[in-house]
């Protein structure tokens, strides 16, 4: 007999704040990480960008109809849609809004799928794809989260999980430069966490969630909106292209080709937590805070990388940017590999203004090529070691290496900005990464093939193999740190 599954719906109610945050809910410090000196801008072409937003203010199933949400979710989805248009992130014709009461066929599970895929297919290679959801979030047991469409009926086939969203994105063959999910619902952070642990079908995905996996999202009568959507809109208007926070019309504003996503999120988080912390509820003999903690995840090749993937200068690849060649080496037939969280944490620590790279740059030492190359190669060796320790099954994958190289290069680029990351740098980084695998007897055939291919494509020195696949002896030995 299959065990009963408990479906939980949070305390997201119109005009009433209901706290469902457990006493053991983690603190803000452990809920998310604000990256020190984060990437300021996500670059894209507004003309190639599309947004699709859903407001689920109607539930058709008799068992769930009593949880139907009111006008606040409509206000939330509309204000987010309108704000993207107002700041010039995309033309109004490329923004689609669906309200369950008025367009019920587009807000069912199949309807959301159809509209999602259609919008994702419409985004150009330089564009931004935005998916916004305002409605109920669902938690099933302790390990599954999802979004409730208008036909949710407590069955697994009628709520939208992280895997479902990932499959839709894959089926759409979305060519967008960046993908942004903004989720305003209870337990939204759980969906973001689940996406973070999935083999993503897109290399540059951002998820901004209204709360953590254990919290409810709140709508407030005096705001006319949820706390999260209200402050998300406020922060976007405040920080994008200098548009004043009181702007009511997008008319006359130039198109915005960049969004300072981390700065916007930080402001949204600060305001949301501050306002929601003013409510304390007494229930069952104890006091509970209603404070919410919006979450952000930056997945794939864009995780916290200032400058690195947004360059369009022609120092290495004319009109393609310094990192276009490295990005082109991703194996599109294989999953894009994210680095292990502990590897990411180690890399993030090297962006700190008191970190070793900052100290070297403060003395002008990173302008010396030998110091810069030592830093690059040492960090690549270290990242290879981290990945071997935490994720040995994927350490020899081409996509893992490319993700590692772009992350390391971006950390260095944060401090130096103008480094010319040529193919020579890429080959050195690959050699040091491979050295970790050699020393530990880990097969690395895909990386060996990659090394030979990069050499041949760029006329770099390589042993005379007459076009044959590189062997171990063709790859120079790289010594990470040799004791005297």
């Amino acid at each position: 007999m299959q065990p009963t599954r408990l479906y939980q719906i949070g305390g997201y109610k119109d005009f009433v704040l209901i706290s469902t945050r457990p006493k053991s809910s983690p603190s803000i410090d452990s809920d998310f990480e604000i990256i020190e000196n984060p990437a300021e801008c996500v670059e894209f072409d507004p003309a190639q960008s599309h947004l699709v937003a859903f407001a689920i203010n109607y539930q058709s199933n008799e068992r769930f109809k009593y949880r139907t949400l009111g006008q606040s979710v409509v206000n939330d989805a509309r204000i987010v849609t309108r704000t993207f248009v107002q700041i010039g992130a995309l033309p109004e014709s490329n923004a689609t809004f669906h309200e369950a009461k008025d367009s019920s066929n587009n807000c069912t599970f199949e309807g959301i799928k159809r509209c999602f895929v259609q919008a994702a297919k419409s985004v150009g290679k330089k564009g931004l794809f935005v998916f916004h959801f305002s409605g109920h979030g669902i938690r099933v047991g302790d390990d599954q989260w999802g979004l409730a469409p208008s036909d949710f009926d407590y069955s697994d086939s009628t709520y939208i999980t992280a895997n479902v969203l990932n499959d839709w994105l894959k089926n759409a063959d979305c060519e967008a430069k960046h993908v942004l999910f903004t989720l305003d619902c209870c337990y939204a952070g759980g969906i973001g966490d689940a996406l973070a642990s999935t083999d993503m079908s897109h290399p540059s995905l951002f998820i901004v969630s209204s709360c953590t996996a254990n919290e409810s999202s709140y709508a407030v009568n005096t705001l006319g909106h949820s706390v999260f959507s209200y402050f998300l809109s406020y922060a976007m208007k405040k920080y994008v292209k200098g548009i004043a926070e009181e702007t009511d019309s997008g008319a006359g504003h130039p198109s915005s080709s960049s969004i300072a996503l981390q700065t916007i999120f930080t402001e949204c988080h600060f305001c949301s937590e501050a306002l929601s912390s003013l409510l304390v509820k007494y229930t069952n003999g104890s006091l509970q805070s209603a404070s919410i903690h919006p979450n952000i995840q930056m997945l794939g090749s864009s995780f916290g990388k200032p400058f690195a993937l947004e360059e369009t200068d022609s120092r290495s690849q004319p009109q393609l940017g310094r990192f276009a060649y490295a990005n082109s080496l991703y194996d599109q037939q294989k999953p894009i590999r994210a680095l292990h969280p502990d590897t990411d944490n180690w890399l993030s620590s090297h962006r700190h203004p008191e970190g070793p790279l900052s100290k070297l740059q403060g003395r002008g030492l990173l302008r010396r090529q030998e110091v810069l190359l030592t830093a690059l190669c040492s960090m690549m060796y270290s990242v290879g070691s981290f990945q071997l320790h935490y994720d040995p099954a994927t350490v020899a994958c081409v996509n893992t290496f490319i993700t590692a190289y772009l992350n390391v290069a971006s950390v260095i680029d944060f401090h130096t900005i103008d480094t010319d990351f040529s193919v020579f740098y890429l080959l050195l980084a690959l050699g040091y990464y491979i050295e970790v695998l050699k020393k530990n007897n880990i097969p690395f055939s895909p990386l060996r093939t990659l090394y030979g291919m990069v050499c041949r494509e760029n006329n770099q020195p390589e042993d005379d193999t007459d076009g044959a696949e590189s062997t171990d002896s063709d790859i120079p030995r790289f010594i990470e740190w040799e004791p005297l």
Side-chain angles (χ1 to χ4, degrees), residues 357-412:
L357 289 176
S358 182
K359 292 177 180 178
L360 290 170
Q361 179 63 3
R363 290 161 175 77
L365 292 173
L366 289 182
R367 290 196 292 269
R368 300 184 180 185
Q369 188 181 41
E370 64 272 22
V371 177
L372 183 65
L373 288 176
T374 299
L376 172 69
C377 295
S378 297
M379 292 177 72
M380 283 303 305
Y381 192 94
S382 299
V383 169
S385 300
F386 269 100
Q387 289 299 113
L388 179 58
H389 177 74
Y390 290 112
D391 195 5
T394 66
V395 68
C397 296
V398 169
N399 287 353
T400 302
F401 163 75
I402 297 299
T403 301
Y405 172 71
L406 290 173
N407 272 272
V408 169
S410 72
V411 172
I412 294 174

Side-chain angles (χ1 to χ4, degrees), residues 296-357:
I296 187 169
Q297 281 98 0
M298 301 182 180
L299 311 180
S301 65
S302 289
F303 182 85
K305 285 196 268 303
F307 307 108
L309 299 179
E310 315 306 338
E311 297 276 352
T312 56
D313 61 288
S314 58
R315 281 169 288 188
S316 296
Q317 297 290 320
Q319 300 171 346
L320 294 177
R322 292 179 291 151
F323 296 86
Y325 181 72
N327 267 308
S328 72
L329 297 175
Y330 271 118
D331 186 346
Q332 300 299 327
Q333 304 304 313
K334 302 290 180 62
I336 300 298
R337 301 292 182 183
L339 298 182
H340 188 275
D342 286 347
T343 309
D344 265 328
N345 290 338
W346 182 81
L347 283 170
S348 294
S349 70
H350 286 76
R351 293 190 180 92
H352 196 278
E354 298 300 323
L357 289 176

